[in-house]
Amino acid sequence: MIRIGIYGYGNLARGVEAAIKKNDDMELVGVFTRRAPETVKINTKGVNVYSANDVIKHKNEIDVLIICGGSMSDLPEMTPELVKSFNVIDSFDTHARIPEHYKNVDKNAMETRHIGVISLGWDPGMFSLNRAIMESILPDGESYTFWGKGVSQGHSDAIRRIKGVLDARQYTIPVDSALEAVRSGKRPNLTTREKHTRLCYVVSSDPKENARIEKEIKEMPNYFADYDTTVNFISMEEMKKNHSGIPHGGFVFRSGETSDGVNHVIEYSLKLDSNPEFTGSVLVAYARGVYRLVKRGECGARTVFDFAPRDISKLSYEDMLAHTL
Amino acid sequence: MIRIGIYGYGNLARGVEAAIKKNDDMELVGVFTRRAPETVKINTKGVNVYSANDVIKHKNEIDVLIICGGSMSDLPEMTPELVKSFNVIDSFDTHARIPEHYKNVDKNAMETRHIGVISLGWDPGMFSLNRAIMESILPDGESYTFWGKGVSQGHSDAIRRIKGVLDARQYTIPVDSALEAVRSGKRPNLTTREKHTRLCYVVSSDPKENARIEKEIKEMPNYFADYDTTVNFISMEEMKKNHSGIPHGGFVFRSGETSDGVNHVIEYSLKLDSNPEFTGSVLVAYARGVYRLVKRGECGARTVFDFAPRDISKLSYEDMLAHTL
């Protein structure tokens, strides 16, 4: 059994917890929280919740510690620190800061001979893996990434900060005609506006403020100004009833040529009922890979680019040859 | 530069040759044919065509030898033999015989310290890679593979063996409603007939024989009897004009649950203008991986399951972190 610890207990952690139950070669050995442990109720019977402060005491009980923190301020601190004592996995997703985060984790992982996997999930993660392989196979071509339909937490939060907004949910939606243009092999040049639209559901405190709120949303730089944005005002009841899920998904394409006029389109897509449960499932599958890398005596920072399919599969290599190949 | 040799010179070999031109870290150093070398014209200037009998003489000029032979009788002999002198790649695609082929190649590769990659391409190959990863991430689910729309060489050949048939082309076509049912997350049970239809274009020597030919096609066991098959009789001119390409493609799906009622669908698909050019591009990308495994001192048989994305990418790891992750 591969013994997993979960550090942090929010949506992603509950996704990791659900994923562990689907893998019979793994067991959850503890959840570590910065809240008062007695206030945290988890979904796995017989497993303890501990204070995050005590995590080092459980060093010898844990093969892989999955760190479920935010990319903004949690992970840049937590992952380099925890990799000194554990083999860890995080889902750091601030693309621009990945090289710096990698360096910080790698240094401490090498010194203490642990494995630290960063930036795992679906983007970065599965999408990155597919981009890397697609681009290697079709070097003469264009790559395209689309997100959605799905809830963007960052954009929803940005709307919630507007005065008079009680709650908000923002869906990022890929534009069908853009997807079709890419699928056709045309290799279109697409502007930001042509790729995605933004659909917002807002609960406002006063209908008289709706026009102002809608204007503030649509003109918000970076978040909405470059997109065709639709704003729908709804009741709090409707918000709770129809928009409490966290679906997401997206598409990665490579459109490329192997000789004059001979074109190929590779498409990878995800349609996810729950972003955190799917992300958690990726992290758990790669925990198996971490366990195997450690057994081979490897150490240092790693990403999705470092794992071969056989490293993460539960099947024996013989079964993979006979049934998966 | 990674020095590539091509063994055999048919459609796939021409695909490999085209792919080498798209990768500026590779060069073609020779083509080896079982025909009289002077009768074989290749598409790369300044590169020699040699007799297959002389391949061993060029042992020290070649980093990776890509074997372009048939799976029925060529590759089971060629790959175990050639791996004694070269690092090799083949596209052996008889699924049922893969474990046996693997063993034969592995034994000789280990004894002579070479790498022998078998069963590379898109299925087996890219589809296998995706099946392995999808199934690791969503262990509680169903996998589905569809092929087409594309030309099946085996089915076209089977029709050509019927008396009175001058030429034939068979397209395998996935059934749209089956694709949609899988995409919806329903996890349908699909029969052979529900998954694919078969569309045949036939040039007959005598229109009076068409009814008999159509009946023989539709009732042919294994090949057509279990499918809804459409037979169109066309002229030789139309065959040459509209059916000379070798397009193909297909879909791999994983539909799985991470907790009660929470479903996810992963889809990977290919739309290929030329089956051999795309297959050749996969083989060439993995030649880079073979080169790196050899540099690391590895030996033995390998498959697509043994390569991490960083092994096959032309980018430095730093560039992958900064741009692909």
Side-chain angles (χ1 to χ4, degrees):
Chain A
M1 294 294 267
I2 304 171
R3 302 166 302 165
I4 310 283
I6 298 177
Y7 192 88
Y9 197 71
N11 283 334
L12 174 59
R14 280 185 287 271
V16 169
E17 186 181 17
I20 293 169
K21 291 182 187 168
K22 296 290 187 186
N23 288 281
D24 55 19
D25 59 341
M26 313 232 183
E27 59 176 332
L28 177 62
V29 296
V31 168
F32 300 87
T33 178
R34 287 178 291 180
R35 289 174 275 167
E38 63 277 12
T39 66
V40 174
K41 267 216 145 70
I42 68 170
N43 298 320
T44 311
K45 274 192 193 139
V47 171
N48 289 328
V49 180
Y50 303 101
S51 164
N53 298 325
D54 293 335
V55 67
I56 307 291
K57 293 182 194 162
H58 299 269
K59 194 171 144 49
N60 296 325
E61 300 153 28
I62 293 170
D63 295 312
V64 184
L65 184 67
I66 300 182
I67 309 175
C68 301
S71 292
M72 183 86 86
S73 51
D74 293 341
L75 298 176
E77 303 292 323
M78 286 176 182
T79 311
E81 188 54 36
L82 289 165
V83 81
K84 293 179 186 169
S85 310
F86 296 92
N87 302 298
V88 302
I89 295 177
D90 81 18
S91 60
F92 184 75
D93 66 358
T94 310
H95 286 262
R97 295 184 60 194
I98 285 174
E100 170 198 346
H101 187 54
Y102 181 90
K103 252 180 226 156
N104 296 339
V105 173
D106 191 52
K107 182 173 173 294
N108 293 351
M110 292 296 279
E111 279 175 16
T112 57
R113 298 200 61 79
H114 290 105
I115 293 281
V117 182
I118 64 158
S119 302
L120 204 58
W122 58 274
D123 193 9
M126 289 301 106
F127 276 16
S128 324
L129 179 154
N130 274 282
R131 280 189 288 260
I133 295 177
M134 290 174 182
E135 290 170 8
S136 301
I137 293 171
L138 296 176
D140 180 3
E142 288 292 331
S143 300
Y144 299 85
T145 302
F146 293 84
W147 296 275
K149 181 184 175 176
V151 174
S152 163
Q153 216 56 57
H155 287 77
S156 301
D157 288 343
I159 300 174
R160 285 191 204 102
R161 286 191 292 265
I162 293 174
K163 199 176 154 238
V165 172
L166 299 179
D167 199 4
R169 205 74 82 253
Q170 195 269 180
Y171 294 93
T172 303
I173 304 174
V175 175
D176 273 335
S177 59
L179 293 174
E180 284 311 315
V182 172
R183 267 189 202 114
S184 75
K186 274 182 210 149
R187 292 201 231 169
N189 280 314
L190 297 166
T191 62
T192 299
R193 191 177 297 274
E194 286 167 335
K195 287 184 71 183
H196 297 95
T197 56
R198 299 203 176 277
L199 175 60
C200 314
Y201 292 92
V202 178
V203 182
S204 87
S205 59
D206 179 356
K208 289 198 294 279
E209 297 296 309
N210 289 5
R212 174 191 54 83
I213 291 171
E214 179 165 345
K215 188 166 183 291
E216 282 193 41
I217 294 172
K218 289 186 170 175
E219 294 177 355
M220 198 184 298
N222 302 318
Y223 285 87
F224 294 99
D226 298 334
Y227 297 85
D228 290 335
T229 301
T230 306
V231 178
N232 294 322
F233 289 91
I234 60 173
S235 68
M236 191 60 94
E237 292 67 42
E238 197 181 333
M239 178 66 80
K240 289 201 170 121
K241 187 167 159 249
N242 298 332
H243 303 283
S244 60
I246 319 175
H248 218 313
F251 303 80
V252 178
F253 293 92
R254 182 74 175 175
S255 179
E257 203 171 72
T258 51
S259 62
D260 283 356
V262 179
N263 203 72
H264 311 276
V265 179
I266 312 175
E267 175 173 350
Y268 177 84
S269 71
L270 296 173
K271 208 168 66 196
L272 313 175
D273 275 359
S274 161
N275 186 352
E277 286 196 19
F278 187 80
T279 303
S281 298
V282 175
L283 270 51
V284 166
Y286 278 76
R288 186 180 292 120
V290 170
Y291 183 78
R292 291 174 180 168
L293 262 53
V294 170
K295 292 268 173 218
R296 296 205 291 260
E298 295 190 25
C299 62
R302 293 290 185 275
T303 67
V304 74
F305 299 139
D306 295 283
F307 293 85
R310 78 179 293 178
D311 292 327
I312 66 157
S313 176
K314 206 176 73 176
L315 299 180
S316 69
Y317 194 68
E318 290 64 36
D319 281 344
M320 293 183 81
L321 289 185
H323 306 297
T324 316
L325 196 61
Chain B
M1 294 294 268
I2 304 171
R3 301 166 304 165
I4 311 284
I6 297 177
Y7 192 88
Y9 197 70
N11 283 333
L12 174 59
R14 281 185 288 270
V16 169
E17 186 181 17
I20 292 169
K21 291 182 187 168
K22 296 289 187 186
N23 287 280
D24 55 19
D25 58 341
M26 312 234 183
E27 59 176 332
L28 177 61
V29 296
V31 168
F32 300 87
T33 177
R34 286 178 292 181
R35 290 175 273 168
E38 62 277 12
T39 66
V40 174
K41 268 213 146 70
I42 67 169
N43 298 321
T44 311
K45 274 190 193 141
V47 171
N48 289 328
V49 179
Y50 304 101
S51 165
N53 298 326
D54 294 335
V55 67
I56 306 291
K57 293 182 194 163
H58 299 269
K59 193 172 146 49
N60 296 324
E61 300 154 28
I62 294 170
D63 294 312
V64 184
L65 184 66
I66 300 181
I67 310 175
C68 301
S71 292
M72 183 86 86
S73 51
D74 293 341
L75 298 176
E77 302 292 324
M78 285 177 182
T79 311
E81 188 55 36
L82 289 165
V83 81
K84 293 179 186 169
S85 309
F86 297 92
N87 302 298
V88 302
I89 295 178
D90 81 18
S91 60
F92 185 75
D93 67 357
T94 310
H95 286 263
R97 295 184 61 194
I98 286 174
E100 171 197 346
H101 188 53
Y102 181 90
K103 253 181 224 156
N104 295 339
V105 173
D106 191 52
K107 182 174 175 294
N108 294 351
M110 292 297 280
E111 278 175 17
T112 58
R113 299 201 60 80
H114 290 105
I115 293 281
V117 183
I118 65 158
S119 302
L120 205 58
W122 58 273
D123 193 10
M126 288 301 107
F127 276 16
S128 324
L129 179 153
N130 275 282
R131 280 190 287 261
I133 294 177
M134 290 173 183
E135 290 170 8
S136 301
I137 293 172
L138 295 176
D140 180 3
E142 287 292 329
S143 300
Y144 298 86
T145 302
F146 293 84
W147 296 276
K149 180 185 176 175
V151 174
S152 163
Q153 215 57 57
H155 287 78
S156 301
D157 288 345
I159 299 174
R160 284 190 205 102
R161 285 191 292 266
I162 294 175
K163 199 176 154 236
V165 171
L166 299 179
D167 198 3
R169 206 74 81 252
Q170 195 270 178
Y171 295 93
T172 303
I173 303 173
V175 175
D176 274 334
S177 59
L179 292 174
E180 283 311 316
V182 173
R183 266 189 203 114
S184 76
K186 273 182 213 152
R187 294 200 231 169
N189 279 313
L190 297 166
T191 63
T192 298
R193 192 177 297 275
E194 286 167 336
K195 287 184 71 183
H196 298 93
T197 57
R198 300 201 176 277
L199 175 61
C200 314
Y201 292 92
V202 179
V203 182
S204 87
S205 59
D206 179 355
K208 288 198 295 281
E209 298 295 309
N210 290 5
R212 175 192 52 84
I213 291 170
E214 179 165 344
K215 188 165 182 294
E216 282 193 40
I217 294 172
K218 289 186 170 177
E219 294 177 355
M220 197 184 297
N222 303 319
Y223 285 88
F224 294 99
D226 298 333
Y227 297 85
D228 289 336
T229 300
T230 306
V231 179
N232 294 322
F233 290 92
I234 60 173
S235 68
M236 191 61 94
E237 291 68 41
E238 196 181 333
M239 179 66 80
K240 287 197 171 124
K241 186 167 160 252
N242 297 333
H243 303 285
S244 60
I246 319 175
H248 219 313
F251 302 80
V252 177
F253 293 92
R254 181 73 175 175
S255 179
E257 202 170 74
T258 51
S259 61
D260 283 356
V262 179
N263 203 72
H264 311 277
V265 179
I266 311 176
E267 176 173 351
Y268 176 85
S269 71
L270 297 172
K271 210 170 62 194
L272 313 175
D273 275 0
S274 161
N275 186 352
E277 287 196 18
F278 186 80
T279 303
S281 298
V282 176
L283 270 52
V284 165
Y286 278 76
R288 186 179 294 121
V290 170
Y291 184 78
R292 291 174 180 169
L293 262 53
V294 170
K295 292 269 174 215
R296 296 206 291 259
E298 295 190 24
C299 62
R302 294 289 186 277
T303 68
V304 73
F305 298 139
D306 294 284
F307 293 85
R310 77 179 292 179
D311 292 327
I312 66 157
S313 176
K314 208 177 70 177
L315 299 180
S316 70
Y317 195 69
E318 290 65 36
D319 280 345
M320 293 183 81
L321 289 186
H323 305 299
T324 315
L325 196 60

